[in-house]
């Protein structure tokens, strides 16, 4: 298949990919980086078209358009990767200066001092570096957990490496040819190979971008299913699932797993006197304070209303009591500073238990809940513990929140 035909296929394929990404972005505009990936392929389409009509353009115009578009396509890909990973974008001033410099050098080695080898070097230099940086940006998070990122990073990295090594490939081909005619034929074959590589890269990068979009949507859906929308901690169902897994792990490793249940004292009174908006602010304020007392491996969930639960892997009974007391004191010492009224004081009652052999998530939570109600029965704003299963206290129905 000759090179013009391959160029037509590449241009059509890149245009099709651009249309698909635009359609996906139109319905999912919150996916970070997707618009920039679409712009990357759109710029790539312009580059493909410029190659097809190159013979009809002035030489300088053709060089400027091709160099600028191939560099912009790679730069948009890099920016998309950074946006997807939540990183700050580079200053566009540096990108403009770098691309303008590459364009000027390409024009210089085309018109002023013609040198095909240097043109090849600058044609792939900026793009190659951008694709390698995009690969390094995405290759994070763990292969098993986010394989789509590593697939995209692999393709982008290989493509960037090929762009940087392409001048050496042509140089070796020309140097190894036995004659001028053979050298010209080999260059034509290498040109076809370059276009084929570009087609494969377009397909795989588009496939990777769509997989990344799917990964983001799946993560968002999982977040909605597992996280309490008001406080951004795990909801009851997700917390129980994680607690079950933690109990199984603790029993296998014979390690301690403390569980605590926390209830906000007199929360109903806050809602009745200050309004539900103030009540929501109190819940978020409490979660913010609680997270300051926890380690990264500790897990917190909202069981419902004003009741929360926490489990602390490998903390031990003494460690859990220290955390519970620190949390109780912090909540008491830092009332919510309301914007339209006086501060809202807050205290909590905390129940702590240590998971025993044969415990399920429900039984462990029930025991911690009994300890929490014992704290309420004994005056609130305190920490109580139950080390062994105990009969349910009759104060469940009698003690108001």
């Amino acid at each position: 298949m000759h090179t013009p035909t391959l160029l037509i296929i590449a241009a059509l394929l890149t245009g099709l990919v651009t249309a698909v990404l635009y359609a996906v972005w139109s319905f999912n505009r919150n996916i970070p980086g997707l618009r920039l990936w679409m712009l990357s392929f759109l710029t790539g389409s312009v580059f493909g078209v410029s190659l097809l009509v190159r013979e009809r353009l002035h030489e300088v115009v053709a060089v400027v358009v091709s160099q600028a578009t191939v560099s912009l396509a790679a730069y948009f890909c890099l920016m998309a990767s950074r946006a997807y990973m939540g990183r700050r974008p580079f200053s566009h001033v540096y990108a403009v200066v770098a691309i303008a410099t590459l364009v000027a050098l390409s024009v210089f080695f085309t018109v002023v001092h013609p040198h095909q080898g240097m043109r090849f070097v600058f044609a792939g230099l900026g793009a190659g570096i951008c694709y390698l940086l995009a690969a390094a940006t995405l290759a994070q998070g763990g292969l098993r957990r986010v394989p789509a990122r590593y697939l995209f990073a692999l393709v982008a990295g290989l493509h960037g490496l090929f762009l940087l090594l392409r001048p050496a490939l042509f140089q070796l081909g020309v140097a190894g040819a036995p004659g001028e005619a053979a050298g010209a034929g080999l260059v034509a074959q290498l040109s076809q190979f370059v276009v084929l590589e570009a087609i494969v890269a377009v397909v795989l990068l588009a496939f990777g971008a769509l997989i990344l979009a799917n990964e983001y949507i799946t993560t968002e859906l999982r977040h909605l299913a597992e996280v309490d929308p008001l406080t951004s901690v795990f909801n009851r169902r997700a917390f129980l699932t994680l607690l079950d897994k933690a109990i199984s792990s603790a029993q296998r490793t014979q390690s301690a797993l403390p569980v605590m249940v926390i209830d906000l004292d007199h929360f109903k009174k806050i809602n009745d006197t200050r309004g539900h908006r103030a009540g929501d602010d109190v819940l978020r304020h409490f979660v913010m304070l609680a997270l300051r007392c926890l380690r990264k491996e500790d897990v917190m969930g909202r069981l419902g209303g004003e009741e929360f639960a926490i489990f602390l892997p490998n903390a031990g009974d003494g460690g859990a009591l220290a955390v519970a007391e620190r949390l109780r004191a912090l909540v008491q010492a830092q009332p919510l500073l309301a914007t339209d009224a006086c501060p809202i004081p807050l205290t909590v009652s905390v129940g702590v238990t240590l998971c025993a052999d044969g415990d399920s998530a429900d039984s462990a939570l029930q025991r911690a809940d009994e300890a929490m109600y014992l704290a309420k029965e004994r005056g609130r704003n305190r920490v109580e513990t139950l080390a062994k299963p105990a009969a349910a206290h009759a104060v469940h129905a009698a003690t108001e929140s």
Side-chain angles (χ1 to χ4, degrees):
M1 187 176 292
H2 61 300
T3 302
T5 304
L6 290 175
L7 287 175
I8 293 174
I9 294 174
L12 291 175
L13 187 60
T14 311
L16 177 62
V17 168
T18 303
V20 171
L21 289 178
Y22 177 77
V24 175
W25 173 71
S26 297
F27 293 102
N28 302 274
R29 300 199 175 195
N30 61 322
I31 300 177
L34 188 58
R35 182 179 67 90
L36 289 167
W37 271 312
M38 185 267 295
L39 291 176
S40 175
F41 284 100
L42 176 61
T43 312
S45 300
V46 176
F47 171 67
V49 173
S50 72
L51 292 181
L52 287 173
V53 300
R54 188 183 185 91
E55 300 298 330
R56 302 181 182 180
L57 299 176
H58 188 278
E59 187 175 27
V60 174
V61 175
V63 171
V64 170
V65 172
S66 60
Q67 179 66 69
T69 52
V70 74
S71 299
L72 276 174
Y75 178 69
F76 282 139
C77 183
L78 173 58
M79 290 297 96
S81 301
R82 292 184 66 84
Y84 186 84
M85 297 298 291
R87 296 190 178 184
R88 295 175 59 185
F90 296 122
S91 173
H92 296 317
V93 174
Y94 297 118
V96 170
V97 172
I99 293 174
T101 302
L102 290 172
V103 169
L105 289 171
S106 296
V107 171
F108 176 81
F109 287 109
T110 301
V111 179
V112 181
H113 183 68
H115 192 292
Q116 189 176 25
M118 294 304 296
R119 282 176 54 192
F120 275 132
V121 169
F122 292 114
L125 181 62
I129 292 174
C130 284
Y131 282 117
L132 287 176
L133 289 175
T137 301
L138 283 171
Q140 298 181 31
L143 179 59
R144 292 187 177 181
R145 195 170 69 88
V146 282
R149 297 181 190 177
Y150 287 85
L151 172 63
F152 193 100
L154 176 63
V155 176
L158 290 176
H159 184 52
L161 192 61
F162 178 81
L163 290 176
L164 292 177
L165 296 178
R166 186 176 59 184
L169 180 66
F170 275 89
Q171 190 66 30
L172 289 174
V174 173
E180 185 176 345
L186 186 56
V187 169
Q189 292 179 0
L190 289 174
S191 298
Q192 292 179 4
F193 176 70
V194 168
V195 178
L196 281 173
E197 188 278 336
I199 292 174
V200 173
V202 165
V203 172
L204 293 181
L205 288 173
F207 181 66
L210 291 174
I211 292 181
L212 287 175
N214 180 72
E215 175 192 274
Y216 180 84
I217 293 172
T218 302
T219 302
E220 287 294 294
L221 291 175
R222 186 183 299 116
H223 180 81
L224 291 174
E226 295 180 349
V227 174
D228 173 58
L230 177 62
T231 60
S232 296
V233 297
F234 288 108
N235 58 29
R236 182 185 183 92
R237 182 181 62 83
F239 181 83
L240 288 173
T241 300
L242 293 172
L243 180 57
D244 259 328
K245 294 180 180 179
I247 290 174
S248 299
S249 177
Q251 291 175 350
R252 285 196 307 270
T253 58
Q254 296 184 345
S255 56
L257 183 66
V259 178
M260 64 176 68
V261 170
I262 308 104
D263 190 86
L264 278 61
D265 297 327
H266 304 296
F267 183 74
K268 184 176 183 298
K269 182 178 179 181
I270 295 174
N271 268 337
D272 291 342
T273 58
R274 307 294 288 270
H276 289 283
R277 179 174 295 181
D280 291 345
D281 291 339
V282 164
L283 293 175
R284 286 190 287 263
H285 176 70
F286 164 73
V287 168
M288 181 268 295
L289 296 177
L291 292 177
R292 287 166 53 181
C293 299
L294 302 179
R295 306 165 298 172
K296 289 183 178 181
E297 59 266 36
D298 299 332
V299 178
M300 182 177 186
R302 184 184 180 192
L303 302 181
E306 71 276 19
E307 190 170 86
F308 295 83
I310 302 171
F311 66 81
L312 306 94
N314 301 310
D317 194 22
L321 287 174
V323 171
E325 180 58 34
R326 186 163 64 248
L327 171 60
R328 183 206 63 77
L330 182 63
V331 171
Q332 183 183 20
Q334 296 196 18
L336 174 64
L337 301 177
T339 57
D340 56 347
C342 59
I344 302 176
L346 183 65
T347 60
V348 293
S349 298
V350 186
V352 182
T353 191
L354 201 61
C355 289
D357 290 340
D359 263 338
S360 65
D362 286 328
S363 62
L365 275 182
Q366 181 180 357
R367 196 160 62 250
D369 193 59
E370 292 170 0
M372 181 272 294
Y373 274 101
L374 182 61
K376 282 188 173 292
E377 185 183 37
R378 292 178 177 177
R380 296 184 175 87
N381 190 27
R382 59 186 293 121
V383 177
E384 294 291 342
T385 181
L386 283 179
K388 296 180 180 180
H393 291 277
V395 298
H396 278 59
T399 307
E400 67 180 46
S401 299

